[in-house]
């Protein structure tokens, strides 16, 4: 009898527990969506506007398009301007590329309904000329745009260079003239020319802050000087060395110009002896640093050893140096003598002679150095430890290939990592492969 009564009590309590749990879940949903009597069979079409918008913002475009077919209200939210401020057009040829591509119907829908909503736009194209031309065709139709940032990205070889200069300039002109509020432009490896830059300046001089245009062979020193003279708010600039000039640095140093934050310079040569590199005067560099004392000056070198002669003969305020090809001991010695602002140095290759003296000179004179990378070079273990000891804990990044280190009578590789770790104040090991 006692067991029967206990069983009856349990059976009577079970529905109450279930009902209580259901009530708690209802209260939870109600607290989220603003109602306390939400039914289990929820009407997703009646979700608050801001909740649906928030969901859509986290969804990839394909999923967002699918969700828009749930009901008419979701479809309306799918087209609200806030969801179309930022868009990346992906253009590729299915027969020759593994990249996905934005569907042509969606592109036409964007041009028709959302061109005036676009603000942050980029184009990612494969190596085909057809994709680059398709990007120009889209740009030509953005007549009602108010774009703030524009990026043209070639995922493989620079396909925009195969587009005719007239077609490319015409497409850019549409955007430059109609936007009037461009603040950031990344158009490396394109047939950009001086007349296009003049159109850009005429319509966006008050808003332009970032311009990246490395490997644009149709731009002259006069063309980029026009930008510096008129765009006084320019904070970041990337260009090739051949259009860098004393006049440009002085224009960036004028009283009307804001402090420059980042200057990237690509120094490139495809064939030795083909390009004759000019010299920038020390006074021009000094004027820039005096005007913008915190500016980062980044230089990427892709030269042959015999082409380095004109560089770093005098003090140069470079902060970040990257050498993509072999660089001589003499060149590294000049860097130690004439680059006191150096923060980061990456050397991908060097000869067979150890670089002990050069690294120690860099440690002595480059007091701001915090990052170092060495690839196919050579340095004795003793010389390397001396370098690290002089730099100490300020070396926050130290990437050295294991084969770079030459064992000597004082240090083996096993002992080396303990000594280096002690001077850095953290555990350190040489790399098996480059990390830069």
């Amino acid at each position: 009898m006692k067991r029967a009564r206990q069983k009856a009590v349990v059976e009577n309590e079970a529905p109450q527990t279930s009902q209580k749990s259901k009530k708690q879940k209802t209260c939870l949903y109600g607290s989220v969506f603003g109602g306390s009597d939400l039914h289990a069979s929820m009407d997703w079409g009646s979700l608050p506007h801001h909740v649906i918008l928030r969901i859509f913002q986290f969804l990839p475009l394909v999923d967002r398009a699918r969700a828009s077919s749930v009901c008419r209200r979701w479809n309306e939210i799918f087209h609200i301007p806030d969801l179309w401020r930022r868009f990346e057009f992906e253009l590729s040829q299915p027969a020759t590329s593994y990249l996905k591509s934005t569907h042509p119907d969606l592109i036409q829908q964007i041009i028709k309904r959302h061109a005036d909503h676009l603000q942050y736009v980029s184009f990612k194209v494969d190596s085909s000329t057809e994709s680059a031309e398709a990007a120009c065709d889209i740009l030509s139709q953005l007549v009602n745009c108010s774009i703030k940032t524009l990026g043209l990205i070639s995922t493989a070889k620079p396909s925009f260079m195969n587009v005719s200069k007239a077609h490319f300039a015409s497409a850019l002109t549409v955007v430059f003239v109609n936007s009037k509020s461009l603040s950031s432009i990344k158009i490396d490896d394109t047939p950009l020319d001086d007349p296009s830059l003049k159109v850009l300046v005429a319509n966006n001089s008050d808003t332009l802050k970032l311009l990246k245009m490395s490997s644009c062979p149709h731009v002259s020193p006069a063309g980029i000087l026009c930008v510096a003279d008129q765009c006084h708010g320019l904070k970041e600039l990337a260009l090739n060395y051949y259009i860098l000039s004393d006049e440009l640095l002085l224009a960036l140093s004028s009283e009307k110009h804001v402090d420059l934050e980042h200057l990237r310079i690509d120094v490139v040569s495809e064939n030795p002896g083909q390009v004759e590199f000019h010299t920038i005067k020390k006074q021009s560099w000094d004027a820039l640093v005096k005007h913008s004392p915190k500016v980062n000056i980044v230089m990427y070198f892709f030269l042959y050893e015999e082409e380095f002669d004109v560089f770093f003969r005098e003090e140069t305020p470079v902060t970040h140096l990257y050498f993509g090809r072999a660089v001589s001991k003499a060149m590294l010695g000049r860097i130690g003598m004439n680059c006191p602002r150096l923060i980061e140095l990456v050397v991908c290759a060097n000869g067979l002679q150890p670089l002990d003296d050069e690294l120690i000179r860099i440690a002595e004179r480059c007091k701001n150095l915090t990052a170092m990378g060495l690839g196919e070079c050579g340095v004795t273990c003793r010389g390397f430890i001396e370098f690290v000891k002089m730099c100490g804990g300020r070396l926050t990044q130290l990437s050295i290939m294991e084969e770079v280190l030459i064992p000597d009578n004082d240090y083996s590789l096993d002992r080396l990592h303990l000594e280096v770790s002690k001077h850095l104040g953290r555990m350190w090991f040489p790399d098996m492969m480059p990390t830069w």
Side-chain angles (χ1 to χ4, degrees), residues 55-56 58-70 74 78:
I55 293 172
F56 275 23
F58 283 98
L59 291 178
L61 178 62
V62 173
D63 295 334
R64 197 192 310 165
R66 289 170 180 163
S68 69
S69 64
V70 168
W74 281 34
F78 175 72

Side-chain angles (χ1 to χ4, degrees), residues 119 145-149 175-184 203-208:
Q119 292 184 355
C145 66
S146 56
I147 295 175
K148 294 182 178 179
T149 69
V175 177
F176 290 171
V177 170
N178 287 282
S179 291
K180 299 189 184 302
S181 59
L182 277 164
S183 63
S184 173
N203 293 276
N204 302 272
S205 61
D206 293 336
T207 57
L208 189 64

Side-chain angles (χ1 to χ4, degrees), residues 212-223:
K212 292 187 176 181
M213 40 166 284
S214 296
S215 300
C216 295
H218 301 300
V219 174
S220 71

Side-chain angles (χ1 to χ4, degrees), residues 181-420:
S181 59
L182 277 164
S183 63
S184 173
I185 306 175
K186 300 178 182 179
I187 43 178
D188 299 327
D189 299 300
T190 64
L192 179 73
D193 58 9
D194 289 356
S196 298
L197 284 178
K198 290 181 180 179
V199 175
L200 169 67
V201 169
N203 293 276
N204 302 272
S205 61
D206 293 336
T207 57
L208 189 64
K209 292 180 172 58
L210 182 151
L211 177 60
K212 292 187 176 181
M213 40 166 284
S214 296
S215 300
C216 295
H218 301 300
V219 174
S220 71
I224 190 61
L225 183 60
C226 171
V227 176
D229 279 336
Q230 301 298 320
C231 300
H232 299 142
L234 194 65
K235 291 179 175 290
E236 295 188 38
L237 179 62
L239 41 70
N240 279 79
Y241 186 82
Y242 78 90
I243 58 175
L244 183 71
S245 64
D246 295 294
E247 292 79 11
L248 175 61
L249 293 181
L250 294 174
L252 294 170
S253 309
S254 69
E255 292 182 1
K256 296 181 292 184
H257 208 287
V258 301
D259 286 1
L260 194 68
E261 296 177 358
H262 193 92
L263 175 62
R264 169 175 168 159
I265 305 161
D266 290 350
V267 192
V268 182
S269 172
E270 298 297 336
N271 299 301
Q274 186 177 17
V275 180
E276 184 175 344
F277 294 97
H278 59 284
T279 303
I280 300 296
K281 296 177 182 176
K282 181 179 181 298
Q283 296 92 321
S284 303
W285 287 120
D286 290 344
L288 178 64
V289 174
K290 182 178 180 181
H291 178 267
S292 304
K294 296 183 179 180
V295 61
N296 285 317
I297 301 174
V298 183
M299 298 186 75
Y300 285 81
F301 282 89
F302 295 90
L303 301 183
Y304 296 90
E305 284 194 35
E306 59 268 27
E307 296 179 307
F308 282 106
D309 188 62
V310 303
F311 296 99
F312 308 117
R313 290 288 181 183
E314 295 184 303
E315 187 171 299
T316 308
V318 63
T319 55
H320 299 72
L321 271 175
Y322 305 92
F323 293 95
R325 295 186 186 138
V327 58
S328 67
K329 281 172 63 72
M331 180 66 170
L332 291 174
R334 295 207 301 267
I335 290 171
M337 292 296 295
N338 295 319
C339 300
R341 297 180 76 239
L342 191 63
I343 295 173
E344 182 174 8
L345 174 63
V346 173
V347 180
C348 292
N350 180 257
L352 298 177
Q353 295 177 307
L355 299 176
D356 296 26
D357 294 339
E358 289 72 24
L359 290 183
I360 290 172
R361 183 179 294 117
I362 288 171
E364 285 176 341
R365 297 181 61 88
C366 303
K367 300 298 185 181
N368 298 315
L369 187 72
T370 60
M372 168 69 80
L374 294 178
E376 298 177 12
C377 306
V379 58
T380 66
C381 289
R382 183 177 184 83
F384 180 63
I385 289 175
E386 183 65 23
F387 165 77
V388 175
K389 182 179 178 180
M390 295 176 69
C391 293
R394 62 184 167 95
L395 277 177
T396 57
Q397 293 182 340
L398 185 60
S399 178
I400 310 297
M401 297 283 288
E402 186 173 357
E403 57 263 31
V404 167
L405 301 165
I406 305 171
D408 50 37
N409 295 330
D410 297 312
Y411 295 97
S412 65
L413 290 177
D414 291 334
R415 187 184 168 196
L416 174 108
H417 87 85
L418 294 174
E419 285 292 318
V420 173

Side-chain angles (χ1 to χ4, degrees), residues 33-97:
F33 297 116
S36 59
D37 57 346
L38 194 64
H39 296 292
S41 57
M42 183 175 177
D43 180 9
W44 290 95
S46 65
L47 281 173
H49 178 96
H50 70 280
V51 174
I52 303 173
L53 178 59
R54 189 65 173 161
I55 293 172
F56 275 23
Q57 286 173 337
F58 283 98
L59 291 178
L61 178 62
V62 173
D63 295 334
R64 197 192 310 165
R66 289 170 180 163
S68 69
S69 64
V70 168
C71 62
R72 180 179 298 175
R73 185 161 172 270
W74 281 34
N75 186 264
E76 292 173 353
I77 294 176
F78 175 72
H79 289 289
I80 66 172
D82 286 348
L83 291 174
W84 299 96
R85 304 291 188 208
R86 189 181 303 271
F87 193 82
E88 181 176 71
F89 293 91
E90 297 179 288
L91 304 172
S92 63
Q93 303 303 308
T96 58
S97 176

